[in-house]
Amino acid sequence: MTSHKTAQTMKPATAAKKLGVYLEATPAGFQEGVVSRTELNALQTDPPEWLQELRRNGPHPRPVVAAKLGVSISGLARGGITEALTTEQIDALKKEAPEWLQQERATQAEVRKEAVRIKDKHAARDARRA
């Protein structure tokens, strides 16, 4: 008796998230089908032109926009950014450096410092126990 392996598939939204692209900007064929794990791996290792273009110029999904601006996704929302942005729009925001962006970047820097402090505190505690 042999078992048949079925290919693991995912919805286009999940695949787009894993690829770091905005689903609505992908080709219709990508949005309408399912993506197998093998296809996803192929897209990651040898991205087609449309994927390279999306990654380069956008529009980018909010997690990518937040990372490029150095803020949290919540910080984007507080700043009034709820839609996908292109690389050009992100660069323009960086140049403008509105007050909300400066404040959110400072907040993000504090969050990172606090995370490092807590990590160091736990490492020191674990070292004392050992």
Side-chain angles (χ1 to χ4, degrees):
M1 186 174 200
T2 60
S3 64
H4 297 284
K5 282 190 174 182
T6 57
Q8 182 182 10
T9 60
M10 61 192 82
K11 294 177 183 177
T14 303
K17 187 175 182 178
K18 289 180 181 285
L19 292 169
V21 295
Y22 187 57
L23 178 62
E24 286 75 15
T26 61
F30 182 86
Q31 292 180 36
E32 295 164 2
V34 293
V35 180
S36 71
R37 175 65 64 187
T38 305
E39 291 168 330
L40 179 69
N41 290 341
L43 287 169
Q44 289 174 325
T45 57
D46 187 23
E49 184 58 37
W50 65 264
L51 182 53
Q52 292 177 31
E53 181 66 23
L54 274 179
R55 286 178 169 168
R56 189 171 30 253
N57 298 316
H60 304 287
R62 288 183 306 142
V64 174
V65 173
K68 286 179 178 270
L69 290 174
V71 299
S72 67
I73 295 172
S74 299
L76 280 181
R78 286 189 292 270
I81 307 296
T82 57
E83 298 296 318
L85 298 180
T86 63
T87 300
E88 189 176 301
Q89 292 169 314
I90 293 168
D91 291 342
L93 260 176
K94 285 180 180 177
K95 279 185 183 172
E96 286 176 28
E99 188 174 328
W100 72 264
L101 180 58
Q102 294 174 34
Q103 184 176 348
E104 291 300 332
R105 283 181 166 172
T107 299
Q108 191 70 7
E110 287 298 318
V111 168
R112 288 186 186 120
K113 279 187 355 189
E114 181 65 8
V116 168
R117 185 190 71 77
I118 290 170
K119 182 179 176 185
D120 291 346
K121 179 181 173 183
H122 287 225
R125 182 191 67 208
D126 292 344
R128 283 193 306 268
R129 287 183 180 170

